[in-house]
Amino acid sequence: MKGIIYLKTTVRNVLKLVLPFLLMAAAYYFYMETRTLARAQLDIIELSPYVIFAVGAVISWKFNRSREFFNFIVLALALASIEYLPGMAKPSFPIAANDIYTLISLMIPLNIGLFSLFRERGILSLWGVLRIGMILSQVLIAIWLLRPEQGGFLSSITKDMLPVSLTSITAVSQLSVSIFLTALVLLITRQVKYKTSQDIAFIAVLCALFYVLHENRDPMMYVVFFAASGIVLVTSIIQDSYSMAFTDELTGLPSRRALKQDMMKLGMNYVIAMLDIDHFKKFNDTYGHDTGDEALKLVASVIKDVTGGGKSYRYGGEEFTILFPGKSVQDALPHLEQLREQIAKRPFTLRNRKGRGKSKSRRKTRNSRAGKQIYITVSIGLAQKSEKHKKPDAVMKSADTALYRAKKKGRNCVSK
């Protein structure tokens, strides 16, 4: 059972990493098929990116995802510039398609890199206004650079900076390639460093748009891949929001909401166990809440690997819940005893934390304890479905009652 759970988790994590690139591969296949479509169908496809960007911006706004929100704006402006600016040229203000291409090649990687790396500071905030200002300033700079008298400056941007020429390989300038590579390295570093990050979506978008700019052969390719980029970012928001809703941020365990859903899937026989850290309030008062959080993480790291087919959840505070589908009390009891012993034998090393103590003497006391090893114990109560307790909520209440019995017995024990 443990192997199956691990396999499912692995497949889910791999799919999350691969999905953005699968969507881009599907976009390429769809682009190849557009050659067989009628003009009316192509007209609808040409409008689809802007619909996707608008929907994505609304979803980003709703979920307060500023990184995606501002990238949607940048992608919409970039695509609109490629599609419509050349047709808006006037004799007094000619606009060359090559100049637009040069600016877009620079601004796309620059903005994806910047906005994906910025911290979430909200959209309707001072930081949000500053980021809108960044986009507007880029628009004004682009308009200034597109003026005929600035043609020499744009030409200098496309010149090779290194002795090795890339013109035979790609139409993208060396400066743009270097910005693309810098943004790519930064995003990959973040994705590796922070396992819960959604930077894989930005990596896929960055790679796809570089490919489009490299090919630079068909306006429909821009339309399809920009639309796919919007879909990838929307998917990223949905995935991350789902993870936030059903995963406890501190411990990484499934949250209480996930527990409620899984309880509705339980069959005819099952066991529910409630686990509580002993003297946790005293622990927090003595060592501080930051150390208490570390203790919660320690306990969670042990109970997530519970044997016997159990699945662990963060119920709230210092309480955890373990479900044993298809098991009886006799089946689950030895595994819970083993779990209790593992936690009791696992040393917890106090760290030197600055903290926010009320006085220097308290901070000094905490610092003097740094490096000290202490041991945490837990009390566990369990109950199974029976004629008396037919519904999951009733079984959980019975397990909670058993937990209090374990506390009264002296803690660090399992009661049924």
Side-chain angles (χ1 to χ4, degrees):
M1 184 68 179
K2 182 179 177 181
I4 295 174
I5 294 174
Y6 176 77
L7 180 61
K8 287 182 178 179
T9 303
T10 302
V11 170
R12 191 183 302 115
N13 292 336
V14 170
L15 182 60
K16 185 183 291 187
L17 294 175
V18 174
L19 181 60
F21 297 96
L22 292 178
L23 290 173
M24 291 304 181
Y28 181 80
Y29 175 79
F30 180 77
Y31 160 70
M32 298 300 291
E33 293 298 313
T34 57
R35 300 173 183 178
T36 63
L37 299 179
R39 184 66 252 176
Q41 294 171 313
L42 293 176
D43 290 340
I44 295 173
I45 293 172
E46 288 176 355
L47 290 175
S48 65
Y50 302 103
V51 176
I52 294 170
F53 296 152
V55 171
V58 171
I59 294 175
S60 303
W61 189 296
K62 181 69 175 177
F63 289 97
N64 201 32
R65 298 294 298 268
S66 62
R67 300 198 309 167
E68 287 84 356
F69 178 84
F70 292 112
N71 271 306
F72 282 126
I73 294 177
V74 169
L75 292 179
L77 290 173
L79 183 59
S81 299
I82 294 169
E83 286 192 304
Y84 302 117
L85 271 185
M88 298 170 62
K90 299 178 180 180
S92 60
F93 195 163
I95 301 176
N98 286 339
D99 291 342
I100 297 172
Y101 173 83
T102 299
L103 291 173
I104 295 301
S105 298
L106 293 171
M107 291 182 177
I108 283 179
L110 180 64
N111 283 283
I112 290 178
L114 285 176
F115 287 121
S116 60
L117 293 175
F118 283 157
R119 291 183 179 182
E120 290 292 346
R121 299 285 192 177
I123 297 171
L124 294 176
S125 65
L126 175 61
W127 293 100
V129 172
L130 290 174
R131 292 172 193 184
I132 292 174
M134 285 179 56
I135 296 174
L136 290 176
S137 64
Q138 290 178 63
V139 171
L140 294 175
I141 292 171
I143 293 173
W144 179 74
L145 289 173
L146 287 173
R147 297 180 68 84
E149 58 267 26
Q150 303 302 329
F153 184 78
L154 281 175
S155 298
S156 65
I157 292 176
T158 59
K159 289 182 179 179
D160 291 343
M161 301 180 297
L162 302 174
V164 179
S165 177
L166 299 178
T167 53
S168 60
I169 303 173
T170 179
V172 183
S173 68
Q174 283 191 0
L175 178 60
S176 181
V177 170
S178 65
I179 299 175
F180 267 106
L181 289 175
T182 301
L184 182 62
V185 170
L186 289 172
L187 289 170
I188 291 175
T189 302
R190 274 179 52 89
Q191 180 66 38
V192 173
K193 186 176 180 181
Y194 305 105
K195 302 298 182 182
T196 58
S197 78
Q198 295 291 317
D199 292 295
I200 192 66
F202 294 109
I203 293 171
V205 170
L206 193 70
C207 293
L209 296 185
F210 176 80
Y211 171 74
V212 173
L213 291 166
H214 163 71
E215 291 291 324
N216 192 31
R217 65 186 183 196
D218 184 358
M220 185 54 63
M221 178 180 277
Y222 281 91
V223 170
V224 171
F225 276 89
F226 269 74
S229 298
I231 293 172
V232 167
L233 293 179
V234 170
T235 304
S236 171
I237 296 172
I238 294 171
Q239 285 181 327
D240 196 38
S241 299
Y242 178 89
S243 178
M244 289 174 63
F246 291 93
T247 304
D248 179 63
E249 184 178 4
L250 178 65
T251 63
L253 291 176
S255 66
R256 188 168 178 172
R257 180 175 294 182
L259 169 65
K260 291 295 184 183
Q261 286 205 351
D262 287 348
M263 284 173 63
M264 292 188 290
K265 304 173 187 176
L266 293 170
M268 298 300 294
N269 299 306
Y270 57 87
V271 171
I272 299 179
M274 297 296 293
L275 182 150
D276 185 273
I277 300 176
D278 295 329
H279 301 296
F280 190 68
K281 184 179 183 304
K282 183 179 179 181
F283 184 94
N284 270 340
D285 292 341
T286 304
Y287 303 110
H289 290 282
D290 289 341
T291 305
D293 288 346
E294 294 300 322
L296 287 170
K297 291 179 184 178
L298 173 68
V299 173
S301 69
V302 178
I303 69 171
K304 74 179 179 64
D305 294 324
V306 61
T307 56
K311 184 176 180 181
S312 306
Y313 305 81
R314 171 90 183 276
Y315 187 77
E318 68 270 28
E319 282 192 295
F320 299 85
T321 304
I322 305 174
L323 299 184
F324 290 92
K327 304 294 181 181
S328 65
V329 167
Q330 289 71 28
D331 295 328
L333 191 57
H335 299 284
L336 292 172
E337 284 285 3
Q338 179 185 1
L339 184 68
R340 180 193 60 78
E341 290 180 6
Q342 287 177 336
I343 295 172
K345 293 178 181 179
R346 177 78 68 89
F348 179 79
T349 304
L350 296 176
R351 298 179 182 178
N352 188 352
R353 294 182 174 274
K354 293 181 180 180
R356 291 180 293 179
K358 294 182 180 180
S359 64
K360 291 184 179 180
S361 61
R362 178 172 291 187
R363 290 196 296 269
K364 185 176 180 181
T365 301
R366 288 182 180 176
N367 292 339
S368 66
R369 293 169 177 159
K372 176 184 175 182
Q373 285 192 337
I374 59 176
Y375 290 86
I376 300 168
T377 63
V378 298
S379 299
I380 304 174
L382 72 159
Q384 72 178 74
K385 182 183 177 183
S386 62
E387 287 298 321
K388 185 178 179 181
H389 306 293
K390 296 181 179 181
K391 294 184 178 181
D393 287 339
V395 178
M396 177 179 282
K397 188 174 181 180
S398 178
D400 202 44
T401 302
L403 172 62
Y404 281 103
R405 286 199 294 270
K407 295 282 188 182
K408 289 181 180 179
K409 289 180 182 178
R411 296 180 170 81
N412 191 24
C413 64
V414 182
S415 179
K416 57 182 180 179

